[in-house]
C-alpha cells in the first residue's frame, strides 16, 4: 500500500526507476566472497559541493581564487588570502588567471561543449559578480596568452577574423574594444609575447619546416632566428631580457624533451636539465627572476627537479614519504606566496605556502574526499611482440585476491597523450570508479603516446589498428600471464582515440574482449579529417604524416581499412557507445554511423547521447548518466558490482 501511494504521488516514471535501479553485488567468482571496500555512490565521483581545486594567488599576494561550487552551480570563487568575504562568479570555467594589477580575474569557458572557447573578466573587489566578455564574437575561439604587467590588460588570441588561424589581440578587463596586435598571415601557429605585452617572436610553418622569427627593424618585417623541422617540438615560454632570451622544452637534436635556455637572437640552445628516461612535462618559472624553479616529469611514479634548495625542502615536506606529484600552480610576484597542489593516485589536495608560516590546507578534490575507499595504482612495464618496452599502470581492487579478476583495459585518448600516475590524468576518476566496482584496471602507454620521447611516438606512424592496437592486446596478455586477469572477462573502454581503440577491439580482435565501451570515438578516420574544425588546418599535416591524407586515394583506402565503421559485421560482443551532441572534433555522426552499421549487421549495441556537452562531458548530470550506464553495462558482461539508481538522477534533468 505504501509503494502504491508513492507511485501515485511521484509518477510512474520515477517509480519505474526506483524499482529497476537496485544495487547488485558482484557475480564474478573472483569477487564473490571477497571484502571489497564500501560501494562509493556514483554521485561522489561526478559531483561534490565540497570539492575545490585550481587555486590561483593574485600577483600582489592579497587574494586567492579557485574552482568550486556555489550552491549546486559551478563557480569561480575569490577571497582575501587571510579570509573574509568571498564571492562567486557562477560559470562553468576551464581556466582562471589574475590580471597583473590583481584587480581582475580572467576566466576561460566553453559554455556549450562545442569548444568555441570564450573569455571573460570579473572585478575582484566589491560585491559585484557580473562578467564581461572580452572578445564577443559568436562561433569563434579565444584564449588568454598572458597578463600585461602593471595593468588590467591581457594579450589573447582569437580566430574571429579567419576561423582557420589565430590573430593576436590586447584586451582591457575594464572595457573598450580589443586592439589587434598582429594579423596571422595564414601559417603562424605561435605568437611570442613578453610580460610587458610586446610581441617578440612568432613561429611560421612552411611545408616540413618551422621558422622561428623575431620582428625586424622595419615595421611589419620579420627576421628568421632558427629553422627546424616542423616535426621537432620546441615549446617556448618565459620570454625575458626584452625578448632576447626565453625558456623552452625542446627535442631538437635529441629524443627526449629537455629544458633549454633559448637565445632568441641566434636560435642557440643551452640545455639546463633533462631526464634520460622520459620527456619533461612542465616547468614552473619564478615570477620575480624568470628563472626555473621546478621541472616535473613522470618515468613511472612522478618525479621533479627543484632548482631552489629551500623550495625543494618545502615541497618535499608537503609530499611526505609516499609518491606524489607536486605542482606550484601559482605564486605572487615576489615568489613568497605560493599555491601548491599535491596529487596522488587517489586525489589532489591544495595548500598555501607563505614564508615563515606553516602550510595551510586550502581544499581537496572529489577523489581526495573519498580516498579511503579508493585503490592504489602502480607503474608496470612489459615487452610487446616486436620487442618494444611498453609502460603503463595497473590498479587492483581492494579486498579481493588479485587473481583471475575481471579487468577493464582503459585506453587513453590523443593518441598523442599519455596515462599518468597522479591525479592529473583525465581518466583518473573513471579508473578509480572501475576499481571500486571490482575490476582490475590496466592503462597502457602504447606506441604513439607522448612523454616517452620522439622514437616512441614515431613508432606509431601508419600503425592505427596495427601495432598500436597490438600493444594493447599484448598488455592484456601480460595481465593474463601475471595471473591478474580472467582471459574471458576483459572489457576495453576508451574516449576519443581510446573510443576508437575500443571499437577496433570489438571489430578487429573480438576474441580478446568480452565487451567494449566507446565514448566520443572515431569510427571513420578519413571523414574525421574531412570534417575537422577549421582551426585544425595547421595541424592536419601531423595527421597526414601519422595516419594518411584522405585526398590521396591509396591513403584513403588504408584509412578505411583501419576504420571500425567498415568492420561492424565482425563484432561479436556487446558494445556501449556514448557521445556528446555538440562535439566539434569527433562529430556525433561518427557514432550514429557506427550504431546504424552495427544494428544493420544484427549486433548488440546500446547508444547514449549527452545534450549540452561535446568532446568530453563538463556537466555533472551527463557524467552521472555515463558512469551509471558504464557500471550497469560492465556488470552484465564482466560480473562486477553496480550501485543501481542514484537519487541524484532525480534532479539531474535540471542541469
Amino acid at each position: 500500500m505504501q509503494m502504491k501511494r508513492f507511485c501515485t504521488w511521484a509518477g510512474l516514471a520515477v517509480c519505474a526507476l526506483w524499482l529497476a535501479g537496485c544495487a547488485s553485488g558482484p557475480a564474478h567468482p573472483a569477487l564473490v566472497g571477497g571484502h571489497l571496500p564500501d560501494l562509493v555512490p556514483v554521485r561522489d565521483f561526478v559531483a561534490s559541493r565540497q570539492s575545490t581545486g585550481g587555486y590561483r594567488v593574485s600577483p600582489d599576494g592579497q587574494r586567492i581564487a579557485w574552482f568550486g561550487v556555489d550552491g549546486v552551480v559551478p563557480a569561480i570563487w575569490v577571497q582575501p588570502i587571510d579570509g573574509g568575504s568571498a564571492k562567486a562568479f557562477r560559470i562553468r570555467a576551464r581556466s582562471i588567471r589574475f590580471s597583473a594589477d590583481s584587480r581582475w580575474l580572467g576566466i576561460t569557458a566553453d559554455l556549450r561543449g562545442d569548444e568555441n572557447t570564450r573569455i571573460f573578466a570579473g572585478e575582484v573587489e566589491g560585491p559585484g559578480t557580473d562578467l564581461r566578455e572580452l572578445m564577443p564574437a559568436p562561433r569563434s575561439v579565444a584564449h588568454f596568452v598572458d597578463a600585461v604587467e602593471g595593468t588590467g590588460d591581457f594579450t589573447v588570441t582569437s580566430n574571429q577574423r579567419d576561423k582557420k588561424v589565430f590573430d593576436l589581440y590586447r584586451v582591457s578587463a575594464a572595457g573598450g574594444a580589443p586592439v589587434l596586435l598582429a594579423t596571422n598571415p595564414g601559417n603562424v601557429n605561435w605568437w611570442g609575447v613578453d610580460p610587458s605585452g610586446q610581441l617578440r617572436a612568432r613561429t611560421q610553418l612552411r611545408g616540413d619546416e618551422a621558422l622561428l622569427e623575431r620582428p625586424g627593424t622595419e615595421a611589419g618585417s620579420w627576421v628568421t632566428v632558427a629553422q627546424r623541422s616542423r616535426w621537432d617540438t620546441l615549446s617556448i615560454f618565459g620570454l625575458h631580457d626584452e625578448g632576447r632570451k626565453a625558456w623552452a622544452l625542446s627535442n631538437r637534436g635529441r629524443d627526449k624533451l629537455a629544458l633549454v635556455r633559448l637565445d632568441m637572437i641566434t636560435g642557440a640552445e643551452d640545455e639546463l636539465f633533462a631526464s634520460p628516461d622520459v620527456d619533461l612535462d612542465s616547468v614552473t618559472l619564478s615570477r620575480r627572476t624568470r628563472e626555473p624553479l621546478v621541472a616535473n616529469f613522470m618515468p613511472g611514479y612522478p618525479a621533479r627537479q627543484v632548482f631552489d634548495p629551500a623550495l625543494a625542502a618545502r615541497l618535499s615536506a608537503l609530499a611526505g614519504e609516499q609518491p606524489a606529484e607536486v605542482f606550484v600552480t601559482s605564486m605572487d610576484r615576489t615568489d613568497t606566496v605560493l599555491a601548491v597542489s599535491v596529487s596522488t593516485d587517489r586525489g589532489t589536495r591544495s595548500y598555501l605556502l607563505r614564508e615563515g608560516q606553516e602550510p595551510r590546507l586550502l581544499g581537496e578534490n572529489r577523489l581526495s574526499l573519498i580516498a579511503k575507499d579508493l585503490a592504489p595504482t602502480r607503474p608496470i612495464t612489459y615487452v610487446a611482440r616486436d620487442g618494444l618496452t611498453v609502460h603503463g599502470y595497473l590498479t587492483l581492487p581492494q579486498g579481493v585476491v588479485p587473481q583471475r579478476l575481471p579487468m577493464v583495459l582503459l585506453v587513453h585518448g590523443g593518441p598523442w597523450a599519455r596515462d599518468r600516475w597522479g591525479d592529473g590524468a583525465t581518466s583518473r576518476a573513471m579508473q578509480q570508479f572501475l576499481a571500486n566496482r571490482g575490476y582490475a584496471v590496466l592503462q597502457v602507454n602504447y606506441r604513439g603516446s607522448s612523454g616517452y620521447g620522439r622514437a616512441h611516438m614515431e613508432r606509431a606512424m601508419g600503425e592505427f589498428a596495427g601495432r598500436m592496437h597490438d600493444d594493447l592486446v599484448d598488455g592484456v596478455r601480460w595481465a593474463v600471464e601475471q595471473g591478474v586477469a580472467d582471459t574471458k572477462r576483459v572489457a576495453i573502454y576508451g574516449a576519443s582515440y581510446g573510443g576508437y581503440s575500443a571499437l577496433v577491439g570489438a571489430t578487429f580482435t573480438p576474441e580478446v574482449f568480452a565487451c567494449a565501451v566507446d565514448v566520443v570515438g572515431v569510427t571513420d578516420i578519413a571523414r574525421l579529417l574531412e570534417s575537422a574544425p577549421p582551426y585544425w588546418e595547421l595541424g592536419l599535416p601531423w595527421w597526414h604524416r601519422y595516419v594518411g591524407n584522405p585526398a590521396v586515394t591509396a591513403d584513403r583506402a588504408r584509412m578505411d581499412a583501419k576504420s571500425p565503421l567498415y568492420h561492424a559485421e565482425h563484432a561479436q560482443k556487446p558494445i556501449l557507445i556514448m557521445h556528446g551532441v555538440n562535439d566539434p572534433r569527433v562529430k556525433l555522426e561518427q557514432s550514429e554511423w557506427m550504431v546504424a552499421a552495427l544494428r544493420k549487421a544484427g549486433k548488440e549495441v546500446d547508444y547514449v547521447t549527452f545534450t549540452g556537452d561535446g568532446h568530453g562531458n563538463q556537466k555533472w548530470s551527463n557524467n552521472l548518466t555515463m558512469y551509471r550506464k558504464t557500471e550497469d553495462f560492465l556488470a552484465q558482461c564482466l560480473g562486477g558490482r553496480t550501485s543501481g539508481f542514484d537519487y541524484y538522477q532525480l534532479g539531474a534533468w535540471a542541469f
Side-chain angles (χ1 to χ4, degrees):
M1 181 64 70
Q2 288 179 339
M3 180 58 71
K4 182 178 180 180
R5 285 198 298 269
F6 174 82
C7 290
T8 301
W9 175 77
L12 293 176
V14 172
C15 190
L17 285 171
W18 188 277
L19 293 172
C22 296
S24 65
H28 191 280
L31 305 179
V32 174
H35 300 282
L36 290 165
D38 291 343
L39 194 68
V40 179
V42 177
R43 59 183 176 272
D44 288 347
F45 285 99
V46 302
S48 171
R49 294 180 62 189
Q50 291 75 43
S51 172
T52 63
Y55 285 85
R56 296 291 183 268
V57 173
S58 62
D60 63 8
Q62 298 302 305
R63 291 176 178 80
I64 193 160
W66 68 93
F67 291 79
V69 176
D70 183 21
V72 293
V73 178
I76 299 300
W77 287 86
V78 63
Q79 183 181 38
I81 205 159
D82 288 315
S85 179
K87 69 176 180 179
F89 298 98
R90 288 188 158 204
I91 189 171
R92 184 182 292 109
R94 285 292 184 91
S95 68
I96 57 175
R97 63 177 64 206
F98 280 95
S99 61
D101 64 5
S102 302
R103 293 181 54 210
W104 303 90
L105 196 61
I107 297 174
T108 302
D110 172 13
L111 301 180
R112 299 181 66 250
D114 58 6
E115 299 183 22
N116 286 315
T117 307
R118 298 158 67 179
I119 56 174
F120 302 85
E123 196 164 10
V124 170
E125 295 183 356
T129 57
D130 291 338
L131 292 171
R132 190 175 76 82
E133 189 167 4
L134 302 183
M135 294 291 296
R139 311 297 295 177
S140 63
V141 179
H143 293 290
F144 287 107
V145 175
D146 206 351
V148 179
E149 62 185 12
T151 74
D153 293 359
F154 297 94
T155 48
V156 305
T157 58
S158 172
N159 69 342
Q160 66 177 30
R161 179 189 61 85
D162 181 344
K163 295 296 184 287
K164 293 182 179 181
V165 295
F166 290 83
D167 300 325
L168 181 69
Y169 296 83
R170 179 165 171 165
V171 295
S172 172
V179 176
L180 179 65
L181 298 180
T183 300
N184 198 316
N187 61 348
V188 169
N189 73 336
W190 175 76
W191 298 106
V193 183
D194 70 8
S196 71
Q198 295 296 307
L199 176 60
R200 300 294 191 181
R202 72 180 189 182
T203 299
Q204 275 199 91
L205 300 178
R206 292 183 181 174
D208 287 343
E209 295 180 341
L211 304 179
L212 176 61
E213 300 176 325
R214 57 183 172 83
T217 55
E218 296 183 9
S221 67
W222 291 86
V223 176
T224 299
V225 173
Q227 185 173 320
R228 60 180 172 86
S229 167
R230 76 178 294 163
W231 315 122
D232 291 341
T233 298
L234 184 66
S235 299
I236 304 172
F237 56 95
L239 282 160
H240 57 281
D241 192 16
E242 297 184 331
R244 289 185 287 266
K245 301 288 184 181
W247 296 100
L249 291 177
S250 171
N251 67 0
R252 289 196 296 174
R254 55 177 71 84
D255 183 62
K256 307 293 192 300
L257 283 174
L259 172 61
V260 301
R261 189 191 292 272
L262 182 64
D263 189 314
M264 296 296 291
I265 304 299
T266 67
E269 295 181 3
D270 182 17
E271 183 177 308
L272 178 68
F273 178 75
S275 163
D277 304 311
V278 291
D279 295 329
L280 299 187
D281 290 329
S282 63
V283 175
T284 302
L285 297 181
S286 162
R287 291 284 297 268
R288 181 175 57 85
T289 67
R290 308 296 285 175
E291 293 292 308
L293 291 177
V294 187
N296 291 88
F297 52 106
M298 188 166 290
Y301 291 112
R304 61 188 176 274
Q305 173 69 31
V306 185
F307 300 99
D308 178 85
L311 179 60
R314 298 173 76 190
L315 297 184
S316 294
L318 275 183
E321 298 298 321
Q322 300 301 314
E325 192 167 22
V326 182
F327 283 107
V328 177
T329 59
S330 74
M331 65 193 77
D332 73 339
R333 64 173 64 96
T334 67
D335 297 345
T336 60
V337 183
L338 293 78
V340 179
S341 68
V342 180
S343 298
T344 72
D345 50 350
R346 281 161 278 187
T348 298
R349 290 186 160 201
S350 297
Y351 295 87
L352 184 70
L353 296 186
R354 286 191 283 184
E355 288 187 355
Q357 298 186 26
E358 291 296 312
R360 185 177 107 204
L361 177 65
L362 294 171
E364 52 190 324
N365 72 351
R366 285 193 298 269
L367 289 186
S368 182
L369 291 167
I370 56 175
K372 67 179 181 62
D373 294 316
L374 304 183
T377 297
R378 65 179 174 91
I380 58 99
T381 60
Y382 59 88
V383 178
R385 65 191 69 180
D386 67 347
L388 177 69
T389 297
V390 179
H391 299 260
Y393 295 94
L394 180 66
T395 306
L396 298 175
Q398 300 284 75
V400 294
V401 178
Q403 295 178 358
R404 292 181 56 80
L405 294 168
M407 187 176 81
V408 178
L409 174 63
L410 184 58
V411 187
H412 72 72
W416 305 288
R418 63 162 291 181
D419 273 314
R420 308 175 62 81
W421 179 85
D423 192 37
T426 56
S427 56
R428 180 66 63 232
M430 178 58 71
Q431 171 219 57
Q432 287 290 355
F433 173 71
L434 295 172
N436 182 258
R437 268 47 185 170
Y439 306 114
V441 182
L442 177 64
Q443 296 167 281
V444 173
N445 285 320
Y446 47 83
R447 69 193 69 204
S449 300
S450 62
Y452 296 90
R454 183 200 303 262
H456 184 79
M457 182 176 290
E458 291 182 347
R459 282 178 177 265
M461 288 191 290
E463 296 297 342
F464 272 45
R467 287 189 172 91
M468 294 171 76
H469 188 67
D470 290 345
D471 291 346
L472 300 175
V473 173
D474 291 346
V476 172
R477 291 174 177 166
W478 171 86
V480 170
E481 291 169 359
Q482 296 293 309
V484 169
D486 177 352
T487 187
K488 295 183 178 180
R489 289 291 179 267
V490 178
I492 181 169
Y493 181 114
S496 193
Y497 175 86
Y500 164 81
S501 292
L503 294 175
V504 169
T507 58
F508 284 68
T509 56
E511 72 282 358
V512 177
F513 301 104
C515 54
V517 181
D518 152 42
V519 183
V520 297
V522 178
T523 68
D524 185 321
I525 303 170
R527 286 195 278 182
L528 168 80
L529 300 186
E530 288 174 335
S531 64
Y535 46 84
W536 278 30
E537 183 77 12
L538 294 182
L540 285 178
W542 183 275
W543 280 90
H544 297 162
R545 183 174 188 241
Y546 275 81
V547 187
N549 185 344
V552 177
T553 301
D555 282 7
R556 190 182 192 100
R558 284 191 291 270
M559 296 163 84
D560 288 350
K562 296 172 182 292
S563 295
L565 178 61
Y566 304 109
H567 299 268
E569 72 275 10
H570 299 304
Q572 300 174 9
K573 312 291 175 53
I575 299 173
L576 171 60
I577 294 177
M578 298 183 278
H579 212 121
V581 299
N582 294 337
D583 191 342
R585 303 190 202 183
V586 182
K587 293 181 171 58
L588 183 66
E589 60 190 11
Q590 291 269 337
S591 285
E592 291 176 332
W593 296 331
M594 190 70 195
V595 170
L598 288 167
R599 288 175 175 167
K600 182 178 179 180
K603 306 301 180 180
E604 184 179 349
V605 59
D606 191 8
Y607 182 42
V608 180
T609 59
F610 304 116
T611 59
D613 264 320
H615 199 69
N617 293 338
Q618 298 182 78
K619 299 172 67 175
W620 70 262
S621 52
N622 283 335
N623 277 326
L624 184 72
T625 299
M626 183 174 72
Y627 278 56
R628 282 286 298 116
K629 278 286 185 180
T630 296
E631 67 172 343
D632 286 348
F633 178 80
L634 293 179
Q636 288 293 318
C637 75
L638 298 186
R641 57 185 182 168
T642 176
S643 62
F645 180 71
D646 190 301
Y647 72 80
Y648 270 35
Q649 291 175 254
L650 291 172
W653 63 269
F655 295 87

